[in-house]
Amino acid sequence: MVVFRVTDNINIKTTDGTLVKYTKVKGPSNLLNETIYITTLEDFSDLKKVFASVGNKYKAKIIDEAKVRYLSQFPRELGITNINEYNITNNLNYKYKDKIAIQSEENSVESVYLNEEKSDLKKQISATLKKDVKVLILGSLGSSISEMICASTALRIFYEKLSKQFRSVSLDIYINASENRFYSRDKMIFSNQSFVNKVSALSIDVKEFCSYDFFVDASSVTKRSFYQTLNYTDAWLHKLGIDYKSIPNEQKYNEINFTSYKPKKDLQDKIRTIKQKGKVLLFHPYSANAAKSIPKEIAVKLLKKMIEKMPEYVFVSTLKLDPKFKNDRYFDLSNDSSSFIDFCYIVSNCEKVFTVNTSTYHVADAFFIPSVVVLTDYDQKRDIKEYEYSKAIYVKDKSKDYSQFIFKNESLLLYRFDGWQELKASKVIKLLEKL
């Protein structure tokens, strides 16, 4: 966490129009203050960029975290603690400047110095006398949809553990907002979890922060070594003070709540018409990461073969495939999938799913829909064994980089599609039939 004040009044608007108001400090000697703020390290870094772009008079000044933590009203931290994160990271930035500039996510310098010591949630809450508690999650739980869906699963298990101890649990999440262009999407993902009370934008003032009984500091979690070695759900369980090995895989199911969602009539009509033509299979061959995506020509060839060999199915996609490709058993729903929850609705109406390693199979798991997932060398460490309804196909990366430089030269990257050529429709169909 980072505790700070601002040198002048300023409002920052999030992507959904929410205003986060910052007011110049009043009564600095009183730390239980509505003009002293708390946020994550990531959001603070973004906030400083916003201030710099507006004008020189807008600055964020650090306040000693220890002084705020010593307040009698300060809530108790649950899970792996994150004390003095700002000072630790600042010292590392100075000491290991050159190494940090070239570090990868898997080899983060911070992971060696930030606390990763195992914690025990049960012990942390055992001496609490209150029966009704408020819990604050400080920061975004991951950055991609996949990460956040898995984090939500861990958070549900965390909530269930708390609910066994307390009569009522109110769980609020404050997510990164200062320069988060996906704020609306992220908010929607967490808002559609039935156990979450509310989702708000960071920062939060100290006085409001101290109205909670417990908090979890999610700042810099993705830089921890356990986040690189465990699957996302287990990594968040570990962070939350829960022994992930003691949780059966069948309890690690994903959940998405449709209670407040009203699909557009046009989308409902399309889905109804498509389902009358046969069983629906979602075809999802692309990822935001090119290394995990099926090359377009191979994807279209694969789709044609699957259509030919699976006559009882109709195929839908929320991605733009080859515009020249036409088939009366293929339907492009890319224009109808305008939000995360629209996409979830489309997936929920499918009988089966074929996808590369994206959020798609995490969403499919939430609706108990069988899926075949293509994993590459790039992401084999992400184990899907906790998903009963998912089967994996592994594609080996056969590309060879002949560049003599540290950076990649695309013109010298050869055989990059050879591994994908070995992805056979017959194997995909066989696995789909087994599910």
Side-chain angles (χ1 to χ4, degrees), residues 67 89 94 97 105 109 112 117 120 122 141 144 222 246 248 251 275 307 325 341 363 384 409-410 435:
K67 292 179 180 178
T89 306
Y94 175 77
K97 184 178 180 181
E105 280 294 317
V109 172
V112 178
E117 188 176 342
D120 188 333
K122 190 174 181 180
L141 290 85
S144 70
T222 58
S246 70
Q251 288 185 25
K275 293 181 86 167
I307 290 174
F325 177 72
I341 204 69
V363 173
I384 67 170
N409 184 333
E410 291 295 320
L435 288 166

Side-chain angles (χ1 to χ4, degrees), residues 95-285:
K95 192 174 180 180
Y96 300 104
K97 184 178 180 181
D98 294 335
K99 288 183 179 179
I100 287 174
I102 60 171
Q103 74 182 11
S104 67
E105 280 294 317
E106 289 79 6
N107 299 291
S108 174
V109 172
E110 288 97 326
S111 69
V112 178
Y113 294 90
L114 294 172
N115 180 34
E116 297 195 3
E117 188 176 342
K118 186 178 179 181
S119 60
D120 188 333
L121 175 66
K122 190 174 181 180
K123 288 181 179 178
Q124 289 175 331
I125 63 175
S126 61
T128 307
L129 297 176
K130 288 188 70 174
K131 294 298 181 185
D132 304 294
V133 296
K134 291 174 62 182
V135 183
L136 179 148
I137 308 295
L138 182 72
S140 298
L141 290 85
S143 55
S144 70
I145 295 175
S146 297
E147 290 175 87
M148 287 183 279
I149 291 175
C150 293
S152 296
T153 298
L155 206 57
R156 172 180 53 77
I157 295 169
F158 171 77
Y159 176 83
E160 289 167 355
K161 296 277 186 188
L162 293 179
S163 296
K164 289 179 181 178
Q165 174 78 13
F166 304 107
R167 181 172 56 200
S168 69
V169 179
S170 181
L171 187 65
D172 296 345
I173 305 177
Y174 284 77
I175 61 176
N176 299 347
S178 296
E179 267 199 331
N180 182 4
R181 60 194 179 96
F182 298 113
Y183 173 78
S184 299
R185 178 203 70 181
D186 298 354
K187 182 178 180 180
M188 183 179 290
I189 291 171
F190 294 116
S191 296
N192 281 285
Q193 302 296 330
S194 58
F195 52 86
V196 173
N197 177 51
K198 71 172 182 178
V199 181
S200 302
L202 283 172
S203 301
I204 176 174
D205 68 73
V206 171
K207 190 172 181 180
E208 178 67 18
F209 195 95
C210 288
S211 70
Y212 288 86
D213 301 289
F214 303 107
F215 76 98
V216 173
D217 188 349
S219 183
S220 299
V221 169
T222 58
K223 294 180 179 177
R224 305 302 211 272
S225 63
F226 63 80
Y227 200 81
Q228 307 308 323
T229 56
L230 298 174
N231 66 59
Y232 297 136
T233 302
D234 287 348
W236 282 106
L237 286 171
H238 182 66
K239 163 63 183 175
L240 294 166
I242 299 169
D243 179 8
Y244 62 89
K245 293 179 182 177
S246 70
I247 307 297
N249 284 339
E250 56 266 24
Q251 288 185 25
K252 297 176 184 177
Y253 60 85
N254 297 325
E255 192 173 70
I256 295 168
N257 181 18
F258 273 164
T259 306
S260 58
Y261 171 66
K262 300 293 182 188
K264 299 181 188 72
K265 186 178 183 303
D266 185 47
L267 176 56
Q268 285 181 300
D269 292 341
K270 281 185 182 179
I271 293 290
R272 192 179 299 112
T273 301
I274 291 169
K275 293 181 86 167
Q276 289 172 352
K277 296 178 181 290
K279 299 176 184 177
V280 183
L281 191 151
L282 179 75
F283 187 79
H284 200 89

Side-chain angles (χ1 to χ4, degrees), residues 61-79:
K61 300 290 186 179
I62 294 294
I63 290 175
D64 186 358
E65 175 189 321
K67 292 179 180 178
V68 175
R69 280 185 179 263
Y70 284 142
L71 289 168
S72 60
Q73 301 94 332
F74 200 77
R76 192 183 313 166
E77 186 170 5
L78 299 179

